[in-house]
Amino acid sequence: MKLAYALGAGLWALGAGASPAAAQATDEPALQDVIIVTGHRAEAARSDVEIPDARPFEGPDATQLQSRIPGGARLGNGPLSGQAQYRGLFGSRINVRIDEQSFASGGPNLMDPPLHYAPLPLIAALEIDRGVSPVHAGPGLAGGLNAALKRVDFSQSSAFSLSYDLMTQARSVDDSVSGGGVIGAASDAFRFNLMGSYERGGDTEFPGGEIAASRFERGVYGLSAGARFDVHTVSLDLRRQNTGPTGNPPFPMDIRYFDTDFARARYDGTLGAVRIEASVSYSGVAHAMSNFDLRPAPAAMNLRETYAQATTHGADAAAIFPALGGEMRLGGDYQRVNRNVVITNPANANFWITNLPDIETDRVGAYAEWTGALGPVEAELGLRTDRTAAQTGLAQTGAAVPAGPAMLAAMFNAADRSREDDTIDAAARLWTQARGGLSWRLTLARKTRAPSYLERFSWLPTNASAGLADGNVYVGDLDIEPETALIAEAGFDFANARFYARPTLFVRQVDNYIQGVPFDATPGVLDTPQEMVANVNGDATPLQFANVDARLYGFDIDAGARLGDHWRLDAVASFVRGERRDINDNLYRVAPASLTASLTYDAPAWSATVETRLVAKQTEVSQTNSEAPTGGYAIVNVYGDWHIRDGVRLGAGVENIFDERYEEHLGGYNRIAGSDVALGDRLPGPGAGAFVRLIVSN
């Protein structure tokens, strides 16, 4: 069932209209959450429940919202570079899409994770696969997430009607402003809309000063169009995103720019009893980052500017038809990704290194997925296979590059630089129809992930680590193997007119988990060329990506109760433990236990909420990654929502109202000299700040 997270209102706005039974009556699978960002979508929640828009976004990054779900957390790698974490896993292990489009990020340090391309003013909803993704959504080790963008949909009339959905917001803690949305027209046969957004902000304040180089700037524009002819529908979506100078305090460099294009064409139709879905897509990312634009510049010989490009071509098709008393989906998908990364010194034209040279990755997948009833149990059963082939060009260096990197480049070029991986995924997601408000859930799955291009082809020891932000220097391994996870989770959903609860227990046993390990058996002894080069780059004990064994397990829940005609209590709690199975150590950058609880007063035209977020200390840290523990903390937010009239809503509030100083365990370490945060210290969370948001829609 799709259940709506009313921002600041918990999972269900209990008692606000339809009965819980009506809320659960849906043909959708039982394992998806939907975070509604603005307005309300009748197909994702109860049609007669409007979703309050007062909830603070706590920054421009959409991972701030994703971190509110059970099991969710955010890696704070910068104001526009946050990575989604789900039950302890993050990065490429989570299958993140934008409007169902999968694509490659451009930055080798993942300064542009997928949700970088989903500005909040343009998001209609975040659709989150609970536990694991269905196999038709593509490969991925953990759950999945799709950011559905706003668009003007077909109407029910042959006459065109104008529609719009616009949002603007301002926050004081970072002096930021943002605005955007969609405007267009549609009939029952044609639809068209323009979209656009712009955001900018300064350095974030915290109790004690400002976080240097935490400013940001991002703009997006595009269009969406569609036509419907009887049982056939075609659509086209085009977007251009320009990210300007934006800080990344946990990294050795900041964003100079991302210039990115997206295109996707889709067909949906019916041929007799068979539904056809097909699409082709393209994305192209041009990226530059530097260590001198937003932070104090080093000496001329240490100036660095890195250029990266990534293009993704994708295609998918599926046929859906009745079978075996349910519905069968047979399909396949293809993706080709081309990447290239060059490190330069703008003060020396002869210093350049193609540290990730002309890497091409081709993946082709096929799957079968059946949904239907197995006696009293509803089921989604899927099987998927993928073949991933990757190869790279020749590493090259300029005349001013020292002999060490040049020798490593020659060694890399002499090796076999092509690899193929075959992977198989299987998922069984089972649930019961609600009886007496109670529905049981069980998921059993085998999920895989092929190694990333960094983990395999990074021949030069650098800080590039897809956003691990641990300060270590990394090198890849050409012979690294895919990850394989065996997953089990169980829980239930219960709701009646006064109470709801959705607890889940889970465990993931991961073989060949990819983790940095000491480069050799004598760390600190510079007896290999890689260690010598790493030492010059500031780390005498480099790590190499390698296969280890891991386990993640935990518990999460969201629950709430109606306390009267107007009062409501909602809460989300999460606990996850990540550990190595091969040695006595913990996995790196796993979120500590947390509880978020809110008390809301609902009136017909307005609401007010006080919320507290309690985070435990995290002492189960990775010794391999030199991870430091963090203490616990508590912060309080207050906010409210006013429905001024149909189509006009105003939200406002104060975040961290008591100006508490705290350190987020997933926030990374400061890498910028001259900041009010000491070099190497954990980055603090934002201090007290007010926000105001206006939403206008029709």
Side-chain angles (χ1 to χ4, degrees):
M1 67 198 62
K2 290 187 177 180
L3 300 177
Y5 273 91
L7 303 182
L11 178 65
W12 289 13
L14 292 177
S19 67
Q24 293 195 9
T26 173
D27 294 330
E28 295 292 338
L31 299 173
Q32 186 181 62
D33 295 323
V34 179
I35 302 176
I36 307 298
V37 177
T38 61
H40 65 93
R41 300 197 319 167
E43 69 273 19
R46 294 181 286 184
S47 61
D48 55 354
V49 176
E50 293 191 353
I51 305 301
D53 298 300
R55 180 71 186 89
F57 289 161
E58 299 175 309
D61 196 279
T63 55
Q64 299 282 8
L65 296 181
Q66 179 272 341
S67 68
R68 293 287 174 164
I69 69 169
R74 175 184 187 267
L75 273 64
N77 287 341
L80 300 182
S81 301
Q83 291 189 35
Q85 182 173 115
Y86 187 61
R87 294 177 176 168
L89 297 176
F90 57 92
S92 60
R93 296 183 175 101
I94 299 180
N95 180 16
V96 182
R97 295 94 65 201
I98 308 298
D99 253 4
E100 296 294 356
Q101 181 176 351
S102 298
F103 57 92
S105 297
N109 236 338
L110 216 60
M111 290 180 177
D112 65 329
L115 287 178
H116 176 87
Y117 298 105
L120 286 168
L122 296 181
I123 298 178
L126 294 180
E127 301 164 346
I128 298 154
D129 302 318
R130 294 170 68 185
V132 301
S133 290
V135 298
H136 76 258
L141 201 68
L145 186 156
N146 176 55
L149 302 183
K150 297 176 181 176
R151 63 170 42 89
V152 174
D153 288 324
F154 295 105
S155 71
Q156 302 300 314
S157 171
S158 59
F160 278 90
S161 58
L162 179 69
S163 296
Y164 51 84
D165 188 344
L166 307 172
M167 182 186 82
T168 183
Q169 174 175 282
R171 297 174 76 231
S172 65
V173 75
D174 56 6
D175 293 326
S176 65
V177 294
S178 63
V182 299
I183 183 169
S187 68
D188 59 357
F190 299 97
R191 64 171 183 86
F192 175 83
N193 66 257
L194 299 174
M195 66 167 53
S197 72
Y198 178 75
E199 307 154 278
R200 64 171 177 80
D203 290 343
T204 298
E205 299 174 354
F206 71 97
E210 294 184 347
I211 302 174
S214 55
R215 57 169 290 193
F216 61 91
E217 182 179 1
R218 173 171 59 181
V220 180
Y221 57 90
L223 62 85
S224 178
R228 187 160 58 188
F229 309 99
D230 192 21
V231 295
H232 306 286
T233 302
V234 293
S235 61
L236 176 67
D237 295 281
L238 303 172
R239 293 191 317 282
R240 169 79 169 181
Q241 178 162 315
N242 301 111
T243 301
T246 295
N248 295 97
F251 293 158
M253 292 186 178
D254 299 304
I255 297 170
R256 291 202 76 187
Y257 64 78
F258 280 101
D259 295 332
T260 307
D261 295 302
F262 292 93
R264 186 171 186 249
R266 179 181 170 94
Y267 166 80
D268 296 89
T270 302
L271 300 175
V274 180
R275 299 200 324 269
I276 304 295
E277 299 176 358
S279 72
V280 294
S281 61
Y282 165 84
S283 70
V285 185
H287 170 45
M289 52 185 160
S290 75
N291 66 352
F292 54 83
D293 281 314
L294 300 184
R295 61 184 70 195
M301 65 178 295
N302 293 322
L303 292 174
R304 293 292 181 270
E305 186 167 19
T306 296
Y307 296 92
Q309 297 85 35
T311 60
T312 307
H313 295 84
D316 61 82
I320 305 99
F321 51 90
L324 304 175
E327 183 177 82
M328 179 70 75
R329 174 187 288 261
L330 299 178
D333 42 50
Y334 171 76
Q335 187 178 81
R336 167 171 288 183
V337 179
N338 296 92
R339 296 181 174 92
N340 191 59
V341 180
V342 182
I343 301 171
T344 72
N345 181 338
N348 186 345
N350 291 318
F351 184 98
W352 53 270
I353 306 172
T354 57
N355 64 311
L356 294 162
D358 296 322
I359 297 171
E360 180 180 293
T361 304
D362 290 274
R363 181 188 60 78
V364 58
Y367 63 84
E369 188 173 85
W370 180 85
T371 304
L374 297 175
V377 177
E378 300 293 322
E380 179 187 86
L381 309 176
L383 183 66
R384 177 182 184 90
T385 181
D386 290 274
R387 165 160 287 192
T388 303
Q391 60 184 1
T392 178
L394 296 173
Q396 297 178 319
T397 61
V401 173
M407 179 174 61
L408 291 181
M411 293 169 58
F412 179 75
N413 291 340
D416 179 2
R417 304 182 313 282
S418 62
R419 294 292 187 275
E420 289 187 351
D421 297 306
D422 293 309
T423 56
I424 296 176
D425 290 4
R429 311 204 301 173
L430 311 172
W431 69 99
T432 63
Q433 292 291 336
R435 292 189 177 184
L438 180 65
S439 174
W440 293 92
R441 294 178 278 107
L442 174 67
T443 295
L444 301 172
R446 180 188 194 269
K447 302 287 282 187
T448 61
R449 180 183 74 95
S452 72
Y453 72 114
L454 272 175
E455 293 161 344
R456 175 161 279 161
F457 294 123
S458 184
W459 60 270
L460 179 70
T462 70
N463 288 107
S465 60
L468 292 178
D470 60 355
N472 286 295
V473 164
Y474 281 84
V475 65
D477 180 0
L478 285 169
D479 295 321
I480 204 162
E481 297 291 331
E483 297 176 333
T484 301
L486 297 179
I487 301 166
E489 65 176 63
F492 64 83
D493 298 350
F494 175 79
N496 61 24
R498 310 297 294 182
F499 176 77
Y500 72 88
R502 300 192 312 161
T504 303
L505 287 166
F506 62 89
V507 61
R508 284 183 169 88
Q509 193 95 339
V510 188
D511 294 333
N512 291 325
Y513 185 89
I514 297 176
Q515 154 92 41
V517 302
F519 183 78
D520 61 14
T522 57
V525 179
L526 306 182
D527 53 0
T528 65
Q530 289 85 354
E531 290 172 299
M532 295 176 188
V533 172
N535 185 53
V536 173
N537 288 340
D539 186 354
T541 57
L543 300 180
Q544 182 173 38
F545 290 114
N547 295 119
V548 303
D549 294 324
R551 179 186 299 113
L552 298 105
Y553 57 91
F555 168 83
D556 49 55
I557 183 175
D558 50 346
R562 172 66 66 181
L563 305 179
D565 292 339
H566 298 287
W567 291 97
R568 189 182 69 251
L569 178 67
D570 300 282
V572 175
S574 300
F575 166 78
V576 60
R577 178 86 160 82
E579 58 189 21
R580 294 270 296 272
R581 291 160 40 220
D582 53 333
I583 63 172
N584 184 23
D585 198 8
N586 302 295
L587 298 184
Y588 173 62
R589 224 174 181 187
V590 174
S594 65
L595 168 67
T596 301
S598 63
L599 180 65
T600 299
Y601 181 87
D602 282 324
W606 61 275
S607 69
T609 299
V610 58
E611 173 190 82
T612 183
R613 180 166 174 79
L614 308 175
V615 179
K617 64 182 181 181
Q618 180 60 290
T619 58
E620 305 290 350
V621 295
S622 170
Q623 300 301 316
T624 302
N625 295 81
S626 305
E627 186 179 21
T630 50
Y633 61 87
I635 59 172
V636 177
N637 304 318
V638 295
Y639 47 90
D641 171 61
W642 178 26
H643 186 179
I644 299 173
R645 60 180 177 83
D646 286 347
V648 181
R649 304 186 75 104
L650 180 68
V654 179
E655 304 162 86
N656 192 6
I657 191 169
F658 297 117
D659 203 27
E660 182 77 13
R661 173 159 181 166
Y662 62 97
E663 295 178 343
E664 295 180 305
H665 186 74
L666 304 184
Y669 309 91
N670 179 49
R671 303 287 296 276
I672 300 175
S675 175
D676 292 330
V677 183
L679 196 65
D681 279 3
R682 285 225 184 243
L683 291 160
F691 73 92
V692 61
R693 181 183 310 130
L694 178 66
I695 297 172
V696 181
S697 61
N698 174 42

